[in-house]
Amino acid sequence: MAARKSRIADRGTGTTRSAATARDRRARAVLAAETDRQLDDLIRRRLALPVEARMNFLRRRLPGGGSSL
């Protein structure tokens, strides 16, 4: 009896294709919202840094030592 129940459970939930696509759309919407939240968090963290740390990609090293913008 237990083997029969496990085979039935392996077949899936029995949801229709439209229910599965609706679930996929909801999952994508949740994922998009989370991605947007993470991007906002990254922007806030970088803006919280001092200007020197945020803009270090503009700095160029000089041959004799030192650097300039």
Side-chain angles (χ1 to χ4, degrees):
M1 185 75 170
R4 183 171 181 239
K5 284 184 179 180
S6 67
R7 278 185 292 183
I8 292 171
D10 289 343
R11 288 185 192 162
T13 59
T15 58
T16 62
R17 187 173 186 87
S18 62
T21 56
R23 186 175 48 235
D24 290 344
R25 279 194 302 269
R26 283 193 300 272
R28 285 186 188 129
V30 168
L31 183 62
E34 178 66 18
T35 302
D36 289 343
R37 189 194 65 76
Q38 287 180 352
L39 181 61
D40 289 345
D41 185 48
L42 176 68
I43 292 169
R44 280 191 196 97
R45 281 188 283 124
R46 289 197 177 163
L47 285 175
L49 293 172
V51 175
E52 298 82 20
R54 278 188 285 163
M55 307 296 274
N56 63 350
F57 63 92
L58 294 175
R59 190 168 297 282
R60 297 287 177 238
R61 290 286 181 193
L62 298 175
S67 62
S68 70
L69 290 177

